Each structure stands twice: as C-alpha cells, then as structure tokens.
Amino acid sequence: MVTEKGTISINTENIFPIIKKFLYSDHEIFLRELVSNAVDATQKIKKLSSIGQFDGELGDLKIKVSFDKEAKTITISDKGLGMTADEIKKYINQIAFSGAKEFVEKYKEESDKTQIIGQFGLGFYSAFMVAKEVEIITKSYQDAPAARWFSDGTTEFEISAAEKTERGTDIILHIAEDSEEFLEESKLEQVLVKYGKFLPVEIEFNEKVINNPSPIWVKTPSDLKDEDYIAFYKELYPYAEDPLFWIHLNVDYPFNLTGVLYFPKVKQDFQLNREKIQLYSRQVFITHDVKDIVPEFLQLLHGVIDSPDIPLNVSRSYLQADGNVKRINSHITKKVADKLSDLFKDDRKAFEEKWESIGLFVKYGIISDDKFFDRAKDFILLKNTEGACFTIEEYKTKLEANQKDKDGKLVGLYANDISKQDAFISGAKKREFDVLVFDDVLDAHFINAMESKVENLTFKRVDADTFDKLIDKGLKQEVVLGEDEKKKVEETFKEFVGNNIVQIEALLVDEIPVSIVVPEFMR
Ligand code: ADP
Ligand code: MG
C-alpha cells in the first residue's frame, strides 16, 4: 500500500482547537467515546459471526486499555471487526468528521454553551481533546491488508500500510501536554470505571477486568431474586442501607427503556439528593443528571435507567419537548404508582410500616405533579396521633360522624408538634375528635394540595382556634361570666400577651382554662 496523504474536507480549519477548547470541562469523555467504539466494533463482529457472515475464530474479545507514561500514549485495543483502508476513509475521514462538524455548528448556534458540553457524542474526534496526535492501526475481518491512519490534529491525515496481523483496531493517543493527568493510572482507571462500569464487553485495564458486562437491568426480571437486586444496589451505593423495594423497567416498544429504580429508605431529615439515578445508553454511562427525563419527584429514587432513545446531543428545552422523553417520563410515573398500589393492596401492614419513607415520595409527587394525585389517591395514608393509618376515603367516613364545620365541610384536625400541642390534642380527644400528625417537611404543601384535590375536606391545626369554632358540634357552652367579670379577665390577660386579641369563650369543665391559639392563615 502506498502512503496516501489527504486533507479532511472541512471549511473550518480550526475545528480541533474548538473541540479542545469548548469541551475542556468535560474532556474525559474521549474515553467513553473511544471505548464505546471498540464495544460497537466487537458487537458487530459477534453479530457477523452469528449470522454466518464471518466464519473465523472470534477468540478472546476483551477490549484492552493501556497507557505508557514514558511514551505518553494511551491505547485502546479491540478485537472487533476492524477497518480496511477504504473504510477508514469513509468512516473516519468523512462520517466521523461530520459528527465533529455538526458539533461545531451546534456549538456556534447554541446560546447557552454549557448545555451541549458533555452531552454531545462527539465520537472518534473527541480524541483530539486530549491528544496532539492520533493513530489508528487496524486490520479488518475481511481479507485486506492492515492499515494505519495518522493525524496530528490539523485537518491533514495520512494513511499507510501497517504490520498488524490480528483482527481488530488499536487507537493510539499521543497525549498532549495539558492532558497528561490522563497518564496517571488512578485517573485513567477512575474515568474508565465511571463510563465503562457496565459496558457489555469485558474491558481490561492493568490486567484486570474493570466492568460487569451483564448488569441486572439487562436481565429478565423473572430470572432475578431479591438478593440480586439488593446486591446490585450495593454495587451502586456501597454505603447505603438496603432499599425498601424496586421497580424493574423493561420496555421495547414504542421506545426502548430498561433499568431498575430503587426506593431508598429515607429519613425525616432527608436531603434532596438528585444525583442518585444514573442514565445509560446501551450500557454506556452518560450522566447523573436525569432532570427532564425522570419526573422531579422521582429523582429522589436511586438506580439506573438505560435508553438509547433519549437524545443526548440536544439542549434542555428540546429534551423536554421530545416525544420519547415525555413517554419515558410518564411511563416511569405510572410504573411507580402501580408498584405502590400493588404494595398497598398486597400487604397493607407492611406498606403502613414503610409509609415514613414512601410518604415522602408520594407527597412530593402530589405536590409537584398534578396528575400524580389521581394515581395515588387510593393509597395516600393519613396517620393519627395514635399511629393508626387511614386512606383518604376512610378518613372522610370517619370525619362524617363527628367533625364538620358549620357549613357541613369535613374538618381534619392535625398536630405538627405532638409534644408542644399536647394540651390541644387532649382537648380534641375529650371531644372525641381525631387528630392527625403532619410533621414532616412536605406536610404544609401536602395539606394545601389535599385541600385543593379532595372535595369537601379542610384541615385545621389543633391550636388554630377553640374547638367550638373549628368544628360545629352544637356543644357550645354558655359563658357564665357577667360583662364586668369578662372585662376584668380580658384586661388581666392583655397585660401578659400584649396587643394580641384576648377572647373569652366557654370551655368544657375539665379543660385547661387558658390557651394561646394561632389562626391558620397567620402561619
Ligand atoms: P459513531 O460511533 O457514532 O458512528 P464515531 O465518530 O465514534 O461515530 O465513529 C465513526 C465510525 O468510525 C464508526 O461508525 C465506525 O464505523 C468507525 N470506527 C470507529 N472506531 C472503530 C473501531 N474501534 N473499530 C472499527 N470501526 C471503528
Ligand atoms: Mg462512536
């Protein structure tokens, strides 16, 4: 083969500086791109073999990533289908380049440049983010001589004959000075593990396989046991407590979506940690940021979703409008609601025990997603001061008998601080009123959402007013004090409470004589 020189056809001479400069913050993705290409090439040779278009030995198909600190190179070697010299011209000089060109064009028109950084599958040319020169040495599975491609990051390239006898491709990166951090073993391994942890072909680095090629989400749910799900959870989050339960997503049509979402155990003081779901595309790690893909309230879940149907090279606003993304979003919401509904029906007691954690998701869902209420209304639980749980319907029935205001509206009483409101709670109990506990961070919003969604129901805090004003039981006591006495009492108390309103009301005989109340609207 004679050495051939050429120029990569492009009108912007300076595409590489642009790639390098603007992808700088995320230049580690070069490894994701090159290793995925190696995976693709490996999958392709397997496919050719399985359909009888390649009858040679497949051999050991491991992909090897190595580095040489002295020579300042990183090499990605696969035993995939390889390329002929003509294929290099076609796939590397033309096709791969069009991806890079598209990136630059997109870059120019995008006003918020951070939006595309790292989202764009720049493909092969992302190598130039870290390398000053790139070599491809490749031998096709077809009967053709091995070839070498070389480019120094300008638009010039060179193709010549190569020595390689084994099928497959080596990509050799001559690392640029400003990217030498990638020649550090630990850095290289960390990036490799980050993007390649679940790639479908074994990846070897430093003589050990760094990935799990068949993670749980690509398996059939019926083949899996609880232990498998828990073990995978531990693999993802080594320090986390066991999850409460999980949902295995498995859709082929009309979009492709797999994954496992876990409900973590959450505490009252939970933090809104939204970086726990990992997004993959065909087992290639893409991002921790699933905003716009997973409904906001479900971003508190943990786990993995994998879909090749999520466009990655687009801006946020485009992503939100994308049909598949919308469908994926509502599919996940539905699956979660179905799962909760099943858990509730199958074992209500267990469901009630987990309500502290589940409730946070459900409440958050109701607050942030208008449609979620309809899916959840039958398993939303209200817990009273005695620890008994009621569904909304059950609770309405309970209130029907004893807790209505003068307009006939059902009045739920609640406490948000059981110890401080103890006197009011016992007052309520004397009247045989039930008191709910709403004491977590979302409850104020949750109460509002419930009042707007559930007909004929309102909630009042136990200390919002005297009971006779909150709930009309026709039990009103007559005030037995004369006008003079009332005045005296009023003045005495005004001295203590300043300018606040002092009211004199008749109470039950054994009730505490004085209480300070704060009306609902004042909070
Ligand atoms: P994409 O992977 O999206 O097609 P890339 O820019 O990553 O785009 O790669 C361009 C093309 O170069 C690939 O489609 C493939 O044909 C070829 N290619 C890249 N790397 C390899 C490899 N390791 N083995 C065989 N072909 C490869
Ligand atoms: Mg690629």
Side-chain angles (χ1 to χ4, degrees):
M1 189 196 287
V2 273
T3 300
E4 189 184 325
K5 295 199 181 210
T7 309
I8 295 161
S9 55
I10 177 92
N11 35 25
T12 14
E13 279 282 312
N14 53 356
I15 185 163
F16 297 114
I18 291 181
I19 289 174
K20 201 164 171 147
K21 189 168 166 214
F22 296 118
L23 283 182
Y24 194 75
S25 64
D26 221 358
H27 60 181
E28 64 182 34
I29 62 149
F30 78 95
L31 201 56
R32 173 185 87 189
E33 293 301 321
L34 297 178
V35 174
S36 330
N37 283 350
V39 168
D40 292 345
T42 309
Q43 308 273 56
K44 283 178 192 161
I45 194 71
K46 277 204 217 162
K47 179 83 190 171
L48 288 169
S49 170
S50 74
I51 60 173
Q53 293 199 8
F54 169 67
D55 53 14
E57 277 293 310
L58 279 178
D60 177 4
L61 291 173
K62 267 196 212 92
I63 291 164
K64 291 190 177 143
V65 177
S66 57
F67 68 106
D68 182 335
K69 235 179 148 158
E70 306 268 278
K72 301 193 172 161
T73 58
I74 295 174
T75 302
I76 296 112
S77 302
D78 66 65
K79 305 212 177 61
L81 84 176
M83 283 180 277
T84 64
D86 281 344
E87 284 169 341
I88 297 184
K89 283 185 221 160
K90 189 163 152 204
Y91 298 135
I92 300 296
N93 294 344
Q94 293 165 22
I95 297 181
F97 206 77
S98 68
K101 224 162 101 184
E102 206 184 313
F103 164 75
V104 173
E105 272 150 24
K106 196 124 220 159
Y107 175 80
K108 284 183 185 154
E109 71 198 28
E110 188 67 57
S111 54
D112 181 2
K113 303 201 159 26
T114 54
Q115 292 197 331
I116 45 171
I117 289 172
Q119 297 278 327
F120 205 88
L122 196 54
F124 174 76
Y125 279 94
S126 63
F128 288 100
M129 291 192 291
V130 297
K132 53 180 193 280
E133 293 158 351
V134 177
E135 273 179 86
I136 303 174
I137 297 176
T138 179
K139 169 131 181 58
S140 168
Y141 75 103
Q142 300 160 75
D143 189 16
R148 173 179 180 271
W149 177 92
F150 177 87
S151 169
D152 63 0
T154 62
T155 47
E156 316 272 300
F157 68 90
E158 191 181 297
I159 295 182
S160 56
E163 291 290 294
K164 193 171 171 48
T165 52
E166 248 193 337
R167 184 196 71 230
T169 303
D170 298 336
I171 308 285
I172 304 163
L173 308 177
H174 298 267
I175 299 299
E177 254 123 62
D178 60 7
S179 297
E180 282 180 12
E181 57 176 314
F182 292 105
L183 293 167
E184 295 302 328
E185 183 180 326
S186 58
K187 173 75 180 175
L188 192 55
E189 179 164 1
Q190 174 235 318
V191 177
L192 201 54
V193 169
K194 173 171 173 189
Y195 292 101
K197 197 168 183 196
F198 299 113
L199 281 172
V201 176
E202 283 186 319
I203 316 287
E204 190 178 285
F205 179 71
N206 268 347
E207 269 149 45
K208 76 175 198 271
V209 173
I210 58 99
N211 61 328
N212 168 4
S214 46
I216 196 164
W217 77 86
V218 301
K219 296 183 182 165
T220 313
S222 56
D223 294 344
L224 295 162
K225 295 196 189 68
D226 287 359
E227 297 92 273
D228 300 320
Y229 287 102
I230 292 170
F232 183 65
Y233 187 75
K234 298 269 163 172
E235 193 178 336
L236 292 175
Y237 318 103
Y239 306 107
E241 268 185 82
D242 282 2
L244 289 178
F245 49 88
W246 46 85
I247 298 165
H248 196 140
L249 302 164
N250 203 342
V251 195
D252 301 319
Y253 185 83
F255 52 86
N256 190 300
L257 173 73
T258 52
V260 178
L261 289 176
Y262 291 92
F263 271 71
K265 224 176 245 168
V266 275
K267 311 245 160 57
Q268 280 286 359
D269 57 352
F270 81 119
Q271 293 180 333
L272 300 180
N273 192 339
R274 292 157 197 286
E275 298 267 289
K276 291 290 189 185
I277 299 180
Q278 305 181 357
L279 175 66
Y280 287 76
S281 176
R282 295 205 171 87
Q283 294 174 242
V284 182
F285 173 74
I286 308 293
T287 177
H288 284 287
D289 180 5
V290 294
K291 202 166 142 258
D292 303 325
I293 296 161
V294 174
E296 186 184 327
F297 72 100
L298 294 176
Q299 288 166 30
L300 301 174
L301 299 180
H302 293 181
V304 168
I305 54 176
D306 187 332
S307 177
D309 294 326
I310 297 170
L312 299 168
N313 50 354
V314 296
S315 66
R316 286 260 171 246
S317 52
Y318 188 90
L319 195 61
Q320 282 171 332
D322 181 79
N324 276 334
V325 170
K326 281 188 185 159
R327 279 190 282 270
I328 288 173
N329 209 297
S330 59
H331 178 80
I332 294 176
T333 310
K334 179 176 182 312
K335 280 284 163 186
V336 168
D338 290 350
K339 177 76 188 185
L340 290 169
S341 171
D342 289 347
L343 287 171
F344 175 71
K345 285 184 198 140
D346 293 350
D347 189 347
R348 173 156 175 174
K349 196 162 167 284
F351 188 86
E352 288 183 0
E353 279 160 11
K354 292 175 186 156
W355 180 250
E356 190 189 348
S357 290
I358 295 174
L360 282 172
F361 290 99
V362 174
K363 288 172 189 177
Y364 193 17
I366 287 164
I367 293 161
S368 62
D369 176 346
D370 245 5
K371 280 169 287 180
F372 192 68
F373 179 80
D374 288 328
R375 296 195 189 278
K377 61 179 186 298
D378 294 333
F379 57 73
I380 292 168
L381 294 182
L382 306 171
K383 206 175 202 161
N384 72 10
T385 50
E386 266 120 55
C389 291
F390 305 87
T391 64
I392 297 174
E393 274 316 303
E394 288 164 358
Y395 204 63
K396 281 176 81 176
T397 310
K398 191 175 167 68
L399 297 183
E400 193 65 46
N402 200 31
Q403 286 179 231
K404 286 183 188 165
D405 66 12
K406 56 184 187 328
D407 305 321
K409 199 164 190 178
L410 302 173
V411 182
L413 294 175
Y414 70 94
N416 65 348
D417 187 330
I418 301 185
S419 54
K420 273 199 195 140
Q421 291 151 356
D422 181 56
F424 295 94
I425 295 170
S426 42
K429 284 182 183 160
K430 282 201 184 105
R431 292 169 156 84
E432 292 180 345
F433 295 154
D434 192 68
V435 181
L436 295 170
V437 183
F438 282 145
D439 61 357
D440 73 44
V441 285
L442 296 175
D443 276 335
H445 299 287
F446 175 58
I447 291 169
N448 283 338
M450 292 261 287
E451 285 183 326
S452 72
K453 303 269 184 197
V454 183
E455 233 173 280
N456 195 36
L457 176 65
T458 174
F459 289 101
K460 301 278 185 229
R461 204 162 91 180
V462 270
D463 58 352
D465 206 336
T466 51
F467 292 114
D468 292 327
K469 292 222 171 130
L470 295 174
I471 294 169
D472 186 17
K473 280 199 76 182
L475 272 183
K476 199 156 169 52
Q477 309 285 307
E478 283 308 312
V479 178
V480 292
L481 300 180
E483 285 307 310
D484 280 357
E485 288 167 310
K486 269 194 190 175
K487 232 188 186 115
K488 239 182 213 161
V489 174
E490 206 174 311
E491 265 153 27
T492 316
F493 277 96
K494 270 198 172 144
E495 270 177 44
F496 293 108
V497 294
N499 264 340
N500 293 303
I501 300 163
V502 175
Q503 277 177 18
I504 297 167
E505 308 262 344
L507 298 167
L508 296 183
V509 205
D510 51 354
E511 215 151 26
I512 46 161
V514 179
S515 52
I516 297 174
V517 298
V518 186
E520 205 71 25
F521 69 87
M522 295 277 286
R523 286 192 295 269

